[in-house]
Amino acid sequence: MKSASDTYTLTNGVKIPCIGFGTWQTPDGEVCVAAVKAALAAGYRHIDTAQGYGNEASVGQAVRESGIPREDLFITSKLTNSEHGYDKTLAAFEGSLQKLGLDYLDLFLIHWPNPIAFRDHWEDANAGTWRAFEELYRAGRIRAIGVSNFRPHHLDTLLKTAEIAPMVNQIRLCPGDTQDTVVQDCRSRHIQLEAYSPLGVGKALQAPEIQALAQKYGKSPAQICLRWSLQNGFLPLPKSVTPARIRENLQVFDFELAAGDMQTISALKGIASYAADPDTITW
Ligand code: A2P
């Protein structure tokens, strides 16, 4: 990846900007509107939100106020945990479009495979949800469809009834939490990996090894983490509400980590805690 406008190509041919702007934990209202506007002004063209973040309306407002043509943007949202199943998914999708003020989504994801409300029948619930996703995709209302927080057994189960394979799996991926099994599995299935919390919610930036590499390359710890993500072929979604950091997190295309340094970073374990187990989450 050589610039922020570079793209990955999904299995259906849709091009997706190789870095996106994360909005998890960005509060709805002025803070979110300002953050997304700062991101768009800085050059991000890919914004990641979710029904569960409660900030779709603010993301939509920022997009409109930016004046950037819709077709130049890539907007992702995710189905919230209470709305699994065919009928609920269709209604929830319309809710997202309404809040965002858009008439299509670029990417829609099942946020979690096994929410607590569906624990005893998550397989059927996902099958129904996916049928709705496929219908919306075929109708041109979503340009690409995918999942989030799915492990191999969740994908295996989904694929028993799916007619269209997921194009994306968005998981927690950062130095210290590399989810090797999921990564290998998705690579073998040609599913694009997106990395949420690519900075380990900021925790990875404190690791002495990351700070030493930042010194070595003359970059910030955040830029080291994001470059590591890109060089692994992941699609990082850094979150920030701070304009200087928002800009800093895009300046990751003017250097390259040497293979040995990539390995050093990949070998760091536990510097930023670990992803929640999707089969035991309490939400
Ligand atoms: P803030 O939003 O207050 O700027 P992640 O993307 O891994 O979830 O990390 C998000 C966290 O990292 C937020 O607390 C964010 O703070 C912080 N953060 C984002 N970018 C940077 C940066 N370039 N330097 C330091 N901290 C950052």
Side-chain angles (χ1 to χ4, degrees), residues 22 24-26 172-174 195-206 220-223 226 237-249:
W24 177 47
Q25 294 185 326
T26 299
R172 189 178 192 271
L173 275 176
C174 61
Y196 74 79
S197 298
L199 314 175
V201 206
K203 283 185 243 169
L205 312 180
Q206 307 306 322
S220 71
Q223 290 166 334
L226 295 169
L237 302 165
K239 173 266 176 188
S240 177
V241 294
T242 314
R245 291 174 171 174
I246 290 170
R247 290 191 293 273
E248 175 186 318
N249 294 345

PDB file of all heavy atoms in Angstrom, residues 22 24-26 172-174 195-206 220-223 226 237-249, ligand 1:
ATOM      1  N   GLY A  22     -12.280   4.709  12.279  1.00  0.00           N
ATOM      2  CA  GLY A  22     -13.093   4.007  13.266  1.00  0.00           C
ATOM      3  C   GLY A  22     -13.879   4.970  14.144  1.00  0.00           C
ATOM      4  O   GLY A  22     -13.392   6.058  14.462  1.00  0.00           O
ATOM      5  N   TRP A  24     -15.924   3.539  16.930  1.00  0.00           N
ATOM      6  CA  TRP A  24     -16.372   2.871  18.164  1.00  0.00           C
ATOM      7  C   TRP A  24     -15.968   3.730  19.364  1.00  0.00           C
ATOM      8  O   TRP A  24     -14.838   4.213  19.427  1.00  0.00           O
ATOM      9  CB  TRP A  24     -15.725   1.480  18.273  1.00  0.00           C
ATOM     10  CG  TRP A  24     -16.090   0.766  19.540  1.00  0.00           C
ATOM     11  CD1 TRP A  24     -17.339   0.633  20.083  1.00  0.00           C
ATOM     12  CD2 TRP A  24     -15.193   0.084  20.425  1.00  0.00           C
ATOM     13  NE1 TRP A  24     -17.272  -0.085  21.255  1.00  0.00           N
ATOM     14  CE2 TRP A  24     -15.972  -0.437  21.486  1.00  0.00           C
ATOM     15  CE3 TRP A  24     -13.808  -0.139  20.418  1.00  0.00           C
ATOM     16  CZ2 TRP A  24     -15.404  -1.168  22.541  1.00  0.00           C
ATOM     17  CZ3 TRP A  24     -13.249  -0.875  21.457  1.00  0.00           C
ATOM     18  CH2 TRP A  24     -14.043  -1.381  22.504  1.00  0.00           C
ATOM     19  N   GLN A  25     -16.897   3.952  20.257  1.00  0.00           N
ATOM     20  CA  GLN A  25     -16.687   4.759  21.469  1.00  0.00           C
ATOM     21  C   GLN A  25     -16.600   6.258  21.182  1.00  0.00           C
ATOM     22  O   GLN A  25     -16.227   7.026  22.060  1.00  0.00           O
ATOM     23  CB  GLN A  25     -15.456   4.274  22.250  1.00  0.00           C
ATOM     24  CG  GLN A  25     -15.682   2.877  22.814  1.00  0.00           C
ATOM     25  CD  GLN A  25     -14.537   2.388  23.702  1.00  0.00           C
ATOM     26  OE1 GLN A  25     -13.381   2.698  23.470  1.00  0.00           O
ATOM     27  NE2 GLN A  25     -14.880   1.613  24.719  1.00  0.00           N
ATOM     28  N   THR A  26     -16.930   6.645  19.957  1.00  0.00           N
ATOM     29  CA  THR A  26     -17.030   8.076  19.671  1.00  0.00           C
ATOM     30  C   THR A  26     -18.470   8.493  19.963  1.00  0.00           C
ATOM     31  O   THR A  26     -19.401   7.979  19.346  1.00  0.00           O
ATOM     32  CB  THR A  26     -16.692   8.363  18.191  1.00  0.00           C
ATOM     33  OG1 THR A  26     -15.343   7.938  17.963  1.00  0.00           O
ATOM     34  CG2 THR A  26     -16.818   9.836  17.858  1.00  0.00           C
ATOM     35  N   ARG A 172     -10.786  -7.861  15.978  1.00  0.00           N
ATOM     36  CA  ARG A 172      -9.792  -7.077  16.733  1.00  0.00           C
ATOM     37  C   ARG A 172      -8.408  -7.597  16.374  1.00  0.00           C
ATOM     38  O   ARG A 172      -8.111  -8.770  16.570  1.00  0.00           O
ATOM     39  CB  ARG A 172     -10.039  -7.223  18.233  1.00  0.00           C
ATOM     40  CG  ARG A 172      -9.189  -6.276  19.084  1.00  0.00           C
ATOM     41  CD  ARG A 172      -9.546  -6.455  20.546  1.00  0.00           C
ATOM     42  NE  ARG A 172      -9.000  -5.425  21.404  1.00  0.00           N
ATOM     43  CZ  ARG A 172      -7.798  -5.483  21.985  1.00  0.00           C
ATOM     44  NH1 ARG A 172      -7.000  -6.512  21.780  1.00  0.00           N
ATOM     45  NH2 ARG A 172      -7.394  -4.507  22.766  1.00  0.00           N
ATOM     46  N   LEU A 173      -7.579  -6.718  15.834  1.00  0.00           N
ATOM     47  CA  LEU A 173      -6.237  -7.101  15.378  1.00  0.00           C
ATOM     48  C   LEU A 173      -5.288  -5.967  15.670  1.00  0.00           C
ATOM     49  O   LEU A 173      -5.473  -4.857  15.170  1.00  0.00           O
ATOM     50  CB  LEU A 173      -6.241  -7.296  13.856  1.00  0.00           C
ATOM     51  CG  LEU A 173      -6.659  -8.624  13.247  1.00  0.00           C
ATOM     52  CD1 LEU A 173      -6.659  -8.505  11.733  1.00  0.00           C
ATOM     53  CD2 LEU A 173      -5.734  -9.735  13.694  1.00  0.00           C
ATOM     54  N   CYS A 174      -4.275  -6.236  16.464  1.00  0.00           N
ATOM     55  CA  CYS A 174      -3.278  -5.204  16.767  1.00  0.00           C
ATOM     56  C   CYS A 174      -2.027  -5.906  17.263  1.00  0.00           C
ATOM     57  O   CYS A 174      -2.074  -7.100  17.575  1.00  0.00           O
ATOM     58  CB  CYS A 174      -3.806  -4.237  17.829  1.00  0.00           C
ATOM     59  SG  CYS A 174      -4.178  -5.022  19.409  1.00  0.00           S
ATOM     60  N   ALA A 195      -9.191  -4.587  10.599  1.00  0.00           N
ATOM     61  CA  ALA A 195      -8.655  -4.588  11.960  1.00  0.00           C
ATOM     62  C   ALA A 195      -9.281  -3.473  12.787  1.00  0.00           C
ATOM     63  O   ALA A 195      -9.002  -2.293  12.561  1.00  0.00           O
ATOM     64  CB  ALA A 195      -7.144  -4.389  11.916  1.00  0.00           C
ATOM     65  N   TYR A 196     -10.175  -3.874  13.726  1.00  0.00           N
ATOM     66  CA  TYR A 196     -10.640  -2.824  14.649  1.00  0.00           C
ATOM     67  C   TYR A 196      -9.703  -2.758  15.846  1.00  0.00           C
ATOM     68  O   TYR A 196      -8.947  -3.677  16.106  1.00  0.00           O
ATOM     69  CB  TYR A 196     -12.110  -2.997  15.026  1.00  0.00           C
ATOM     70  CG  TYR A 196     -12.521  -4.100  15.983  1.00  0.00           C
ATOM     71  CD1 TYR A 196     -12.366  -3.990  17.361  1.00  0.00           C
ATOM     72  CD2 TYR A 196     -13.148  -5.245  15.502  1.00  0.00           C
ATOM     73  CE1 TYR A 196     -12.807  -4.984  18.236  1.00  0.00           C
ATOM     74  CE2 TYR A 196     -13.590  -6.240  16.358  1.00  0.00           C
ATOM     75  CZ  TYR A 196     -13.417  -6.104  17.736  1.00  0.00           C
ATOM     76  OH  TYR A 196     -13.848  -7.096  18.572  1.00  0.00           O
ATOM     77  N   SER A 197      -9.713  -1.621  16.501  1.00  0.00           N
ATOM     78  CA  SER A 197      -8.749  -1.336  17.581  1.00  0.00           C
ATOM     79  C   SER A 197      -7.325  -1.661  17.139  1.00  0.00           C
ATOM     80  O   SER A 197      -6.594  -2.387  17.831  1.00  0.00           O
ATOM     81  CB  SER A 197      -9.117  -2.104  18.855  1.00  0.00           C
ATOM     82  OG  SER A 197     -10.378  -1.702  19.327  1.00  0.00           O
ATOM     83  N   PRO A 198      -6.886  -1.111  16.008  1.00  0.00           N
ATOM     84  CA  PRO A 198      -5.539  -1.433  15.493  1.00  0.00           C
ATOM     85  C   PRO A 198      -4.420  -0.882  16.374  1.00  0.00           C
ATOM     86  O   PRO A 198      -3.266  -1.273  16.207  1.00  0.00           O
ATOM     87  CB  PRO A 198      -5.518  -0.775  14.109  1.00  0.00           C
ATOM     88  CG  PRO A 198      -6.486   0.353  14.228  1.00  0.00           C
ATOM     89  CD  PRO A 198      -7.586  -0.142  15.129  1.00  0.00           C
ATOM     90  N   LEU A 199      -4.785   0.013  17.297  1.00  0.00           N
ATOM     91  CA  LEU A 199      -3.794   0.536  18.247  1.00  0.00           C
ATOM     92  C   LEU A 199      -3.965  -0.143  19.602  1.00  0.00           C
ATOM     93  O   LEU A 199      -3.408   0.307  20.609  1.00  0.00           O
ATOM     94  CB  LEU A 199      -3.961   2.064  18.398  1.00  0.00           C
ATOM     95  CG  LEU A 199      -4.115   2.852  17.089  1.00  0.00           C
ATOM     96  CD1 LEU A 199      -4.386   4.329  17.373  1.00  0.00           C
ATOM     97  CD2 LEU A 199      -2.866   2.692  16.217  1.00  0.00           C
ATOM     98  N   GLY A 200      -4.771  -1.209  19.633  1.00  0.00           N
ATOM     99  CA  GLY A 200      -5.051  -1.863  20.916  1.00  0.00           C
ATOM    100  C   GLY A 200      -5.760  -0.908  21.867  1.00  0.00           C
ATOM    101  O   GLY A 200      -5.471  -0.890  23.063  1.00  0.00           O
ATOM    102  N   VAL A 201      -6.709  -0.136  21.324  1.00  0.00           N
ATOM    103  CA  VAL A 201      -7.411   0.922  22.075  1.00  0.00           C
ATOM    104  C   VAL A 201      -6.384   1.853  22.754  1.00  0.00           C
ATOM    105  O   VAL A 201      -6.584   2.311  23.876  1.00  0.00           O
ATOM    106  CB  VAL A 201      -8.413   0.352  23.104  1.00  0.00           C
ATOM    107  CG1 VAL A 201      -9.534   1.372  23.373  1.00  0.00           C
ATOM    108  CG2 VAL A 201      -9.042  -0.940  22.641  1.00  0.00           C
ATOM    109  N   GLY A 202      -5.282   2.074  22.068  1.00  0.00           N
ATOM    110  CA  GLY A 202      -4.235   2.965  22.575  1.00  0.00           C
ATOM    111  C   GLY A 202      -3.186   2.259  23.424  1.00  0.00           C
ATOM    112  O   GLY A 202      -2.077   2.758  23.622  1.00  0.00           O
ATOM    113  N   LYS A 203      -3.511   1.043  23.917  1.00  0.00           N
ATOM    114  CA  LYS A 203      -2.588   0.364  24.857  1.00  0.00           C
ATOM    115  C   LYS A 203      -1.285  -0.082  24.196  1.00  0.00           C
ATOM    116  O   LYS A 203      -0.235  -0.063  24.827  1.00  0.00           O
ATOM    117  CB  LYS A 203      -3.281  -0.865  25.468  1.00  0.00           C
ATOM    118  CG  LYS A 203      -4.293  -0.510  26.559  1.00  0.00           C
ATOM    119  CD  LYS A 203      -4.857  -1.775  27.202  1.00  0.00           C
ATOM    120  CE  LYS A 203      -6.338  -1.874  26.962  1.00  0.00           C
ATOM    121  NZ  LYS A 203      -6.964  -3.136  27.297  1.00  0.00           N
ATOM    122  N   ALA A 204      -1.367  -0.493  22.915  1.00  0.00           N
ATOM    123  CA  ALA A 204      -0.161  -0.998  22.242  1.00  0.00           C
ATOM    124  C   ALA A 204       0.899   0.102  22.114  1.00  0.00           C
ATOM    125  O   ALA A 204       2.087  -0.188  21.976  1.00  0.00           O
ATOM    126  CB  ALA A 204      -0.524  -1.545  20.860  1.00  0.00           C
ATOM    127  N   LEU A 205       0.446   1.351  22.182  1.00  0.00           N
ATOM    128  CA  LEU A 205       1.371   2.472  21.986  1.00  0.00           C
ATOM    129  C   LEU A 205       2.342   2.632  23.147  1.00  0.00           C
ATOM    130  O   LEU A 205       3.373   3.287  23.028  1.00  0.00           O
ATOM    131  CB  LEU A 205       0.580   3.780  21.776  1.00  0.00           C
ATOM    132  CG  LEU A 205      -0.558   3.698  20.758  1.00  0.00           C
ATOM    133  CD1 LEU A 205      -1.263   5.034  20.626  1.00  0.00           C
ATOM    134  CD2 LEU A 205      -0.018   3.226  19.408  1.00  0.00           C
ATOM    135  N   GLN A 206       1.989   2.028  24.277  1.00  0.00           N
ATOM    136  CA  GLN A 206       2.836   2.152  25.485  1.00  0.00           C
ATOM    137  C   GLN A 206       3.952   1.106  25.504  1.00  0.00           C
ATOM    138  O   GLN A 206       4.876   1.221  26.313  1.00  0.00           O
ATOM    139  CB  GLN A 206       1.981   1.948  26.752  1.00  0.00           C
ATOM    140  CG  GLN A 206       0.735   2.829  26.833  1.00  0.00           C
ATOM    141  CD  GLN A 206       1.061   4.297  26.684  1.00  0.00           C
ATOM    142  OE1 GLN A 206       2.081   4.773  27.187  1.00  0.00           O
ATOM    143  NE2 GLN A 206       0.220   5.026  25.962  1.00  0.00           N
ATOM    144  N   SER A 220       5.579   7.828  14.779  1.00  0.00           N
ATOM    145  CA  SER A 220       4.964   7.700  16.109  1.00  0.00           C
ATOM    146  C   SER A 220       4.620   6.227  16.367  1.00  0.00           C
ATOM    147  O   SER A 220       4.506   5.426  15.418  1.00  0.00           O
ATOM    148  CB  SER A 220       3.687   8.539  16.180  1.00  0.00           C
ATOM    149  OG  SER A 220       2.679   7.940  15.390  1.00  0.00           O
ATOM    150  N   PRO A 221       4.427   5.844  17.634  1.00  0.00           N
ATOM    151  CA  PRO A 221       4.011   4.459  17.917  1.00  0.00           C
ATOM    152  C   PRO A 221       2.734   4.067  17.159  1.00  0.00           C
ATOM    153  O   PRO A 221       2.623   2.940  16.666  1.00  0.00           O
ATOM    154  CB  PRO A 221       3.784   4.463  19.433  1.00  0.00           C
ATOM    155  CG  PRO A 221       4.714   5.534  19.939  1.00  0.00           C
ATOM    156  CD  PRO A 221       4.686   6.602  18.879  1.00  0.00           C
ATOM    157  N   ALA A 222       1.793   4.991  17.036  1.00  0.00           N
ATOM    158  CA  ALA A 222       0.552   4.669  16.309  1.00  0.00           C
ATOM    159  C   ALA A 222       0.863   4.359  14.846  1.00  0.00           C
ATOM    160  O   ALA A 222       0.305   3.416  14.264  1.00  0.00           O
ATOM    161  CB  ALA A 222      -0.430   5.843  16.405  1.00  0.00           C
ATOM    162  N   GLN A 223       1.740   5.127  14.260  1.00  0.00           N
ATOM    163  CA  GLN A 223       2.084   4.890  12.847  1.00  0.00           C
ATOM    164  C   GLN A 223       2.781   3.542  12.672  1.00  0.00           C
ATOM    165  O   GLN A 223       2.581   2.863  11.656  1.00  0.00           O
ATOM    166  CB  GLN A 223       2.956   6.045  12.338  1.00  0.00           C
ATOM    167  CG  GLN A 223       2.153   7.337  12.203  1.00  0.00           C
ATOM    168  CD  GLN A 223       3.014   8.574  12.025  1.00  0.00           C
ATOM    169  OE1 GLN A 223       4.178   8.614  12.464  1.00  0.00           O
ATOM    170  NE2 GLN A 223       2.463   9.595  11.406  1.00  0.00           N
ATOM    171  N   LEU A 226       0.007   0.921  12.713  1.00  0.00           N
ATOM    172  CA  LEU A 226      -0.829   0.956  11.502  1.00  0.00           C
ATOM    173  C   LEU A 226      -0.066   0.418  10.292  1.00  0.00           C
ATOM    174  O   LEU A 226      -0.629  -0.290   9.450  1.00  0.00           O
ATOM    175  CB  LEU A 226      -1.336   2.381  11.255  1.00  0.00           C
ATOM    176  CG  LEU A 226      -2.293   2.878  12.353  1.00  0.00           C
ATOM    177  CD1 LEU A 226      -2.549   4.375  12.208  1.00  0.00           C
ATOM    178  CD2 LEU A 226      -3.607   2.097  12.313  1.00  0.00           C
ATOM    179  N   LEU A 237      -8.641   0.282  11.096  1.00  0.00           N
ATOM    180  CA  LEU A 237      -9.713   1.251  11.323  1.00  0.00           C
ATOM    181  C   LEU A 237      -9.410   2.047  12.589  1.00  0.00           C
ATOM    182  O   LEU A 237     -10.106   1.896  13.602  1.00  0.00           O
ATOM    183  CB  LEU A 237     -11.050   0.504  11.469  1.00  0.00           C
ATOM    184  CG  LEU A 237     -11.470  -0.380  10.296  1.00  0.00           C
ATOM    185  CD1 LEU A 237     -12.601  -1.329  10.687  1.00  0.00           C
ATOM    186  CD2 LEU A 237     -11.899   0.488   9.104  1.00  0.00           C
ATOM    187  N   PRO A 238      -8.360   2.881  12.565  1.00  0.00           N
ATOM    188  CA  PRO A 238      -8.016   3.616  13.789  1.00  0.00           C
ATOM    189  C   PRO A 238      -9.108   4.603  14.174  1.00  0.00           C
ATOM    190  O   PRO A 238      -9.676   5.268  13.314  1.00  0.00           O
ATOM    191  CB  PRO A 238      -6.721   4.351  13.403  1.00  0.00           C
ATOM    192  CG  PRO A 238      -6.774   4.467  11.913  1.00  0.00           C
ATOM    193  CD  PRO A 238      -7.488   3.237  11.431  1.00  0.00           C
ATOM    194  N   LYS A 239      -9.369   4.663  15.471  1.00  0.00           N
ATOM    195  CA  LYS A 239     -10.359   5.608  16.010  1.00  0.00           C
ATOM    196  C   LYS A 239      -9.634   6.746  16.708  1.00  0.00           C
ATOM    197  O   LYS A 239      -8.674   6.520  17.460  1.00  0.00           O
ATOM    198  CB  LYS A 239     -11.257   4.872  17.014  1.00  0.00           C
ATOM    199  CG  LYS A 239     -12.227   5.763  17.782  1.00  0.00           C
ATOM    200  CD  LYS A 239     -11.693   6.221  19.130  1.00  0.00           C
ATOM    201  CE  LYS A 239     -12.650   7.190  19.825  1.00  0.00           C
ATOM    202  NZ  LYS A 239     -12.058   7.792  21.055  1.00  0.00           N
ATOM    203  N   SER A 240     -10.083   7.958  16.484  1.00  0.00           N
ATOM    204  CA  SER A 240      -9.619   9.083  17.285  1.00  0.00           C
ATOM    205  C   SER A 240     -10.629  10.208  17.189  1.00  0.00           C
ATOM    206  O   SER A 240     -11.333  10.328  16.187  1.00  0.00           O
ATOM    207  CB  SER A 240      -8.248   9.584  16.804  1.00  0.00           C
ATOM    208  OG  SER A 240      -7.858  10.711  17.558  1.00  0.00           O
ATOM    209  N   VAL A 241     -10.694  11.001  18.240  1.00  0.00           N
ATOM    210  CA  VAL A 241     -11.512  12.217  18.180  1.00  0.00           C
ATOM    211  C   VAL A 241     -10.603  13.456  18.190  1.00  0.00           C
ATOM    212  O   VAL A 241     -11.076  14.573  18.343  1.00  0.00           O
ATOM    213  CB  VAL A 241     -12.521  12.290  19.356  1.00  0.00           C
ATOM    214  CG1 VAL A 241     -13.556  11.166  19.243  1.00  0.00           C
ATOM    215  CG2 VAL A 241     -11.822  12.237  20.713  1.00  0.00           C
ATOM    216  N   THR A 242      -9.310  13.228  18.041  1.00  0.00           N
ATOM    217  CA  THR A 242      -8.319  14.310  18.156  1.00  0.00           C
ATOM    218  C   THR A 242      -7.753  14.633  16.773  1.00  0.00           C
ATOM    219  O   THR A 242      -7.074  13.782  16.174  1.00  0.00           O
ATOM    220  CB  THR A 242      -7.165  13.845  19.074  1.00  0.00           C
ATOM    221  OG1 THR A 242      -7.727  13.229  20.242  1.00  0.00           O
ATOM    222  CG2 THR A 242      -6.274  15.004  19.459  1.00  0.00           C
ATOM    223  N   PRO A 243      -8.039  15.832  16.245  1.00  0.00           N
ATOM    224  CA  PRO A 243      -7.652  16.130  14.859  1.00  0.00           C
ATOM    225  C   PRO A 243      -6.191  15.831  14.534  1.00  0.00           C
ATOM    226  O   PRO A 243      -5.904  15.256  13.474  1.00  0.00           O
ATOM    227  CB  PRO A 243      -7.980  17.624  14.714  1.00  0.00           C
ATOM    228  CG  PRO A 243      -9.138  17.817  15.639  1.00  0.00           C
ATOM    229  CD  PRO A 243      -8.855  16.926  16.823  1.00  0.00           C
ATOM    230  N   ALA A 244      -5.254  16.179  15.411  1.00  0.00           N
ATOM    231  CA  ALA A 244      -3.835  15.941  15.092  1.00  0.00           C
ATOM    232  C   ALA A 244      -3.558  14.445  14.959  1.00  0.00           C
ATOM    233  O   ALA A 244      -2.790  14.019  14.087  1.00  0.00           O
ATOM    234  CB  ALA A 244      -2.936  16.552  16.162  1.00  0.00           C
ATOM    235  N   ARG A 245      -4.179  13.642  15.806  1.00  0.00           N
ATOM    236  CA  ARG A 245      -3.995  12.180  15.717  1.00  0.00           C
ATOM    237  C   ARG A 245      -4.679  11.612  14.480  1.00  0.00           C
ATOM    238  O   ARG A 245      -4.175  10.687  13.851  1.00  0.00           O
ATOM    239  CB  ARG A 245      -4.565  11.516  16.968  1.00  0.00           C
ATOM    240  CG  ARG A 245      -3.777  11.819  18.222  1.00  0.00           C
ATOM    241  CD  ARG A 245      -4.512  11.232  19.410  1.00  0.00           C
ATOM    242  NE  ARG A 245      -3.725  11.301  20.628  1.00  0.00           N
ATOM    243  CZ  ARG A 245      -4.200  10.951  21.816  1.00  0.00           C
ATOM    244  NH1 ARG A 245      -5.452  10.521  21.926  1.00  0.00           N
ATOM    245  NH2 ARG A 245      -3.435  11.027  22.879  1.00  0.00           N
ATOM    246  N   ILE A 246      -5.852  12.171  14.171  1.00  0.00           N
ATOM    247  CA  ILE A 246      -6.588  11.717  12.982  1.00  0.00           C
ATOM    248  C   ILE A 246      -5.703  11.879  11.746  1.00  0.00           C
ATOM    249  O   ILE A 246      -5.597  10.972  10.910  1.00  0.00           O
ATOM    250  CB  ILE A 246      -7.915  12.521  12.851  1.00  0.00           C
ATOM    251  CG1 ILE A 246      -8.886  12.104  13.972  1.00  0.00           C
ATOM    252  CG2 ILE A 246      -8.542  12.338  11.475  1.00  0.00           C
ATOM    253  CD1 ILE A 246     -10.133  12.975  14.097  1.00  0.00           C
ATOM    254  N   ARG A 247      -5.010  13.023  11.677  1.00  0.00           N
ATOM    255  CA  ARG A 247      -4.108  13.267  10.538  1.00  0.00           C
ATOM    256  C   ARG A 247      -2.876  12.359  10.627  1.00  0.00           C
ATOM    257  O   ARG A 247      -2.472  11.747   9.626  1.00  0.00           O
ATOM    258  CB  ARG A 247      -3.683  14.742  10.517  1.00  0.00           C
ATOM    259  CG  ARG A 247      -4.814  15.689  10.137  1.00  0.00           C
ATOM    260  CD  ARG A 247      -4.302  17.095   9.868  1.00  0.00           C
ATOM    261  NE  ARG A 247      -3.778  17.738  11.076  1.00  0.00           N
ATOM    262  CZ  ARG A 247      -4.513  18.432  11.952  1.00  0.00           C
ATOM    263  NH1 ARG A 247      -5.815  18.577  11.748  1.00  0.00           N
ATOM    264  NH2 ARG A 247      -3.963  18.983  13.012  1.00  0.00           N
ATOM    265  N   GLU A 248      -2.315  12.271  11.825  1.00  0.00           N
ATOM    266  CA  GLU A 248      -1.109  11.449  12.031  1.00  0.00           C
ATOM    267  C   GLU A 248      -1.350  10.004  11.573  1.00  0.00           C
ATOM    268  O   GLU A 248      -0.477   9.382  10.956  1.00  0.00           O
ATOM    269  CB  GLU A 248      -0.766  11.473  13.529  1.00  0.00           C
ATOM    270  CG  GLU A 248       0.377  10.591  13.967  1.00  0.00           C
ATOM    271  CD  GLU A 248       0.514  10.588  15.496  1.00  0.00           C
ATOM    272  OE1 GLU A 248       0.393  11.656  16.129  1.00  0.00           O
ATOM    273  OE2 GLU A 248       0.733   9.494  16.053  1.00  0.00           O
ATOM    274  N   ASN A 249      -2.544   9.500  11.848  1.00  0.00           N
ATOM    275  CA  ASN A 249      -2.828   8.089  11.555  1.00  0.00           C
ATOM    276  C   ASN A 249      -2.953   7.797  10.054  1.00  0.00           C
ATOM    277  O   ASN A 249      -3.020   6.635   9.658  1.00  0.00           O
ATOM    278  CB  ASN A 249      -4.090   7.638  12.298  1.00  0.00           C
ATOM    279  CG  ASN A 249      -3.888   7.647  13.811  1.00  0.00           C
ATOM    280  OD1 ASN A 249      -2.756   7.720  14.287  1.00  0.00           O
ATOM    281  ND2 ASN A 249      -4.969   7.576  14.566  1.00  0.00           N
TER     282      ASN A 249
HETATM  283  P1  A2P B   1      -8.576   9.827  21.106  1.00  0.00           P
HETATM  284  O1  A2P B   1      -9.795   9.314  20.415  1.00  0.00           O
HETATM  285  O2  A2P B   1      -8.887  10.494  22.412  1.00  0.00           O
HETATM  286  O3  A2P B   1      -7.698  10.652  20.218  1.00  0.00           O
HETATM  287  P2  A2P B   1      -8.041   2.045  18.606  1.00  0.00           P
HETATM  288  O4  A2P B   1      -8.182   2.653  17.250  1.00  0.00           O
HETATM  289  O5  A2P B   1      -7.035   0.941  18.686  1.00  0.00           O
HETATM  290  O6  A2P B   1      -9.365   1.618  19.205  1.00  0.00           O
HETATM  291  O7  A2P B   1      -7.461   3.175  19.574  1.00  0.00           O
HETATM  292  C1  A2P B   1      -8.226   4.316  19.925  1.00  0.00           C
HETATM  293  C2  A2P B   1      -7.586   5.009  21.103  1.00  0.00           C
HETATM  294  O8  A2P B   1      -6.252   5.434  20.754  1.00  0.00           O
HETATM  295  C3  A2P B   1      -8.327   6.225  21.518  1.00  0.00           C
HETATM  296  O9  A2P B   1      -8.228   6.324  22.923  1.00  0.00           O
HETATM  297  C4  A2P B   1      -7.588   7.359  20.824  1.00  0.00           C
HETATM  298  O10 A2P B   1      -7.693   8.539  21.568  1.00  0.00           O
HETATM  299  C5  A2P B   1      -6.167   6.854  20.841  1.00  0.00           C
HETATM  300  N1  A2P B   1      -5.385   7.291  19.673  1.00  0.00           N
HETATM  301  C6  A2P B   1      -5.764   7.286  18.377  1.00  0.00           C
HETATM  302  N2  A2P B   1      -4.771   7.708  17.577  1.00  0.00           N
HETATM  303  C7  A2P B   1      -3.738   7.983  18.378  1.00  0.00           C
HETATM  304  C8  A2P B   1      -2.417   8.469  18.144  1.00  0.00           C
HETATM  305  N3  A2P B   1      -2.008   8.734  16.911  1.00  0.00           N
HETATM  306  N4  A2P B   1      -1.607   8.648  19.221  1.00  0.00           N
HETATM  307  C9  A2P B   1      -2.034   8.368  20.464  1.00  0.00           C
HETATM  308  N5  A2P B   1      -3.243   7.910  20.751  1.00  0.00           N
HETATM  309  C10 A2P B   1      -4.110   7.709  19.723  1.00  0.00           C
END
